[in-house]
């Protein structure tokens, strides 16, 4: 088995580092350093960074390179307002699929969140809270909305990092 990471693996690792606030808003993401760290070509790293830029997780400026997006107050308001508008729309579909097993699963997720909060494990808390929201969205059966909410959750993490 090869030890070379795929573009998808690199994407997930960089995204996780950003979502968990290990890479804060404004942090530079130099292609050469990432290429060296991941053992992949700069072309491969550039593709990953471009994907993150399309998702508004990263910004890429000519002659400056990539950096973790630093959301504006307006963007923060729009992302949070979008979540407030969209997530409740999924509730009727979620309820049709709700079961005792589902309830048990989501209760265990909430317990894990509370444990992370009590232990002041911010990275785990952020990950668990986001996971709760996208799993709930995926339960609705509307994969387009669920994927959109997942992206909004990632962007919400940047907002929390930027504004608290």
């Amino acid at each position: 088995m090869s030890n070379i990471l795929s573009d998808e693996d690199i994407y997930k690792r960089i995204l996780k580092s950003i979502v968990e606030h290990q890479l804060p808003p404004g942090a530079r993401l130099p292609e050469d350093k990432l290429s060296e760290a991941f053992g992949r070509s700069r072309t491969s790293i550039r593709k990953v960074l471009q994907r993150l830029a399309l998702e508004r997780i990263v910004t890429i400026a000519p002659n400056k390179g990539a950096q973790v997006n630093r959301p504006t107050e307006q963007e923060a308001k729009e992302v949070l307002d979008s979540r407030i508008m969209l997530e409740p729309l999924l509730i009727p579909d979620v309820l049709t699929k709700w079961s005792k097993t589902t309830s048990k699963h989501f209760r265990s997720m909430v317990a894990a969140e509370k444990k992370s909060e009590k232990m002041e494990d911010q990275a785990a808390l952020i990950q668990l809270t986001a996971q709760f929201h996208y799993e709930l969205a995926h339960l609705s059966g509307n994969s387009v909305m669920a994927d959109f909410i997942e992206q909004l959750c990632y962007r919400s993490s940047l907002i929390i990092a930027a504004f608290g």
Side-chain angles (χ1 to χ4, degrees), residues 51-66:
R51 177 178 172 191
L52 288 164
L54 282 172
E55 296 171 355
R56 294 186 162 172
I57 305 298
V58 163
T59 57
I60 301 173
N63 302 320
K64 289 188 177 184

Side-chain angles (χ1 to χ4, degrees), residues 5-159:
L5 294 172
S6 69
D7 289 354
E8 183 68 18
D9 292 332
I10 295 168
Y11 164 83
K12 286 179 181 175
R13 286 187 182 191
I14 293 172
L15 180 62
K16 184 177 191 290
S17 294
I18 293 169
V19 168
E20 292 181 356
H21 302 171
Q22 295 162 1
L23 290 170
R28 293 186 41 78
L29 301 168
E31 287 178 12
D32 58 340
K33 301 279 191 228
L34 292 171
S35 175
E36 189 178 306
F38 289 113
R40 295 293 304 274
S41 71
R42 287 179 68 163
T43 303
S44 181
I45 297 301
R46 193 171 299 123
K47 284 187 345 189
V48 170
L49 293 174
Q50 287 170 344
R51 177 178 172 191
L52 288 164
L54 282 172
E55 296 171 355
R56 294 186 162 172
I57 305 298
V58 163
T59 57
I60 301 173
N63 302 320
K64 289 188 177 184
Q67 66 181 44
V68 176
N69 186 21
R70 188 185 310 264
T72 64
E73 287 185 35
Q74 181 62 31
E75 181 182 354
K77 181 184 180 328
E78 290 172 5
V79 167
L80 297 176
D81 285 351
S82 295
R83 287 188 63 188
I84 289 167
M85 285 187 283
L86 293 175
E87 289 187 50
L89 296 175
L90 299 175
I91 292 171
D93 291 331
V94 167
L95 289 176
T96 64
K97 295 169 178 70
W98 199 260
S99 67
K100 286 183 180 180
T101 304
T102 308
S103 180
K104 185 177 178 180
H105 172 68
F106 281 97
R107 286 178 189 274
S108 73
M109 290 178 75
V110 170
E113 282 182 64
K114 286 180 181 177
K115 182 179 177 185
S116 295
E117 186 174 30
K118 186 177 181 180
M119 295 176 70
E120 297 181 12
D121 185 348
Q122 191 68 17
L125 180 60
I126 291 165
Q127 180 196 23
L128 290 165
T129 301
Q131 183 182 352
F132 178 91
H133 285 270
Y134 18 97
E135 281 194 29
L136 202 56
H138 282 282
L139 184 62
S140 75
N142 184 332
S143 62
V144 172
M145 283 281 276
D147 289 346
F148 189 56
I149 287 169
E150 185 173 13
Q151 288 304 312
L152 289 173
C153 285
Y154 293 148
R155 292 176 69 186
S156 295
S157 176
L158 280 173
I159 292 162

